[in-house]
Amino acid sequence: GDILKKDNTPYTVFTPYKNKWLAKLQTQPIEKHSSEKHLQNLTDLKSPICPSLTKLGFEKSKIQFPSTKITAGSLKNYDKQRDFPAHPKGTSLLGLHLRFGTISPRNALKNGLKINAIWLSELIWREFFMQILYHFPESEHNCFKAKYEKVPWSKNENSSDFEAWKNGKTGVPLVDAGMRELNQTGHMHNRVRMLVASYLTKHLMIHWKLGERYFASKLLDYELSSNVGNWQWAAGCGCDAAPYFRVFSPEAQQKKFDSKFEYISKWVPEYDSPSYPEPVVDHSVGRNRALSLYKEALQ
C-alpha cells in the first residue's frame, strides 16, 4: 500500500510503479532496522537443550548455499552478465537468502543503489509482484487478464509432453538443460526460466499453473508472488506481461546466450549424440499453433 497511483489504486504496470517507488525513495530513504533491539521481547525459556538437527530427522544436504555477502565485485557487471547461464558469477544467487530472510532486503537495496541499477530494478520487480498478489489475491489461481481463461491450455498432469518437460527430455537442449539444473540443484538461471516457461505454455500449450506448481515443488528460492507473476508474464496472461505473440525461439536464445554450448554441455552432455531425443514439437509448428489458438481464444 505504500506505492499507489494518484487515485489510491494499485499499479498493474511495472515501469510507472518502479518510477514512483524510486521517487518515494528520494524523499523517504529506507532505514535499517536492527533486530538486536527486539531481543528484549523474546522469552527466555528455561527449557532443556534444544535437540540436534540429526535428532529432528534432518540430513546434511549436498547443496552449496551461496554467500550472503553483497560486494561491488559480485554486482558490478550484473547488467552485462546476468543473461548468460554458463557464467559462474553472472547473478548474485541471493534469491535463496531473500526467500528465507537470511539477508536484509534493506541492505540489498542500499547496495543496489551504490553498485548496479539493473540489480536494484530486479528487487523492485520482486516487490511489484508482492503487491500484485496482495491487491489481486485471485491471481494466484486465475489469469490476471481474465480473457486469457479462454486459452485452451492442457491441464493434463499425466501427459507425455508434460513429463518430457519436467524431466528435461523435450529434445530442445536449452530447455532440457534448465529443467535438469532445476531437478538436480533446486535452482535455475533466470534467463532459462523465461524460456522453459514460454516453451511449456506456448510450444506445448500446457497450462501455466502446472508449470508454476512444479517450480514451487523444486525451487529453493521459491516465493509465491514472484513465481505466479513470472509464470503469467511468460504465458502472456499476467499484469504487464509479454504479449502472447512473443514466443521465444529456443535456438535463437541458445545462439545468443549459450553460443558455445557451455551451459547445455554441463546439464545435457548427450545433446549432440544419437541417444538424444528429437524435439517434442518443431519451433515453427509450436509457435504457429500457439499464435492461432491464442488469437482465436482472445477474439
Side-chain angles (χ1 to χ4, degrees), residues 241-254:
Y244 78 84
F245 48 81
R246 179 183 180 184
V247 181
F248 282 114
S249 163
E251 183 179 0
Q253 291 288 301
Q254 177 268 312

Side-chain angles (χ1 to χ4, degrees), residues 73-86:
S74 65
L75 295 183
K76 182 179 179 181
N77 296 313
Y78 173 81
D79 53 316
K80 302 178 183 67
Q81 300 171 346
R82 65 179 181 141
D83 284 320
F84 299 91

Side-chain angles (χ1 to χ4, degrees), residues 154-170 176 179 183 196 199-201 204-215 217 231 280:
S154 168
K155 297 181 181 179
N156 183 3
E157 296 182 58
N158 299 313
S159 71
S160 59
D161 284 356
F162 190 47
E163 285 298 315
W165 178 84
K166 289 194 299 184
N167 295 314
K169 295 183 179 181
T170 65
D176 291 345
M179 295 308 296
N183 291 332
V196 302
Y199 187 81
L200 183 74
T201 57
L204 301 183
M205 287 302 297
I206 292 175
H207 202 287
W208 63 268
K209 194 62 185 178
L210 294 187
E212 189 274 330
R213 287 292 83 199
Y214 188 73
F215 267 33
S217 73
W231 266 96
V280 171

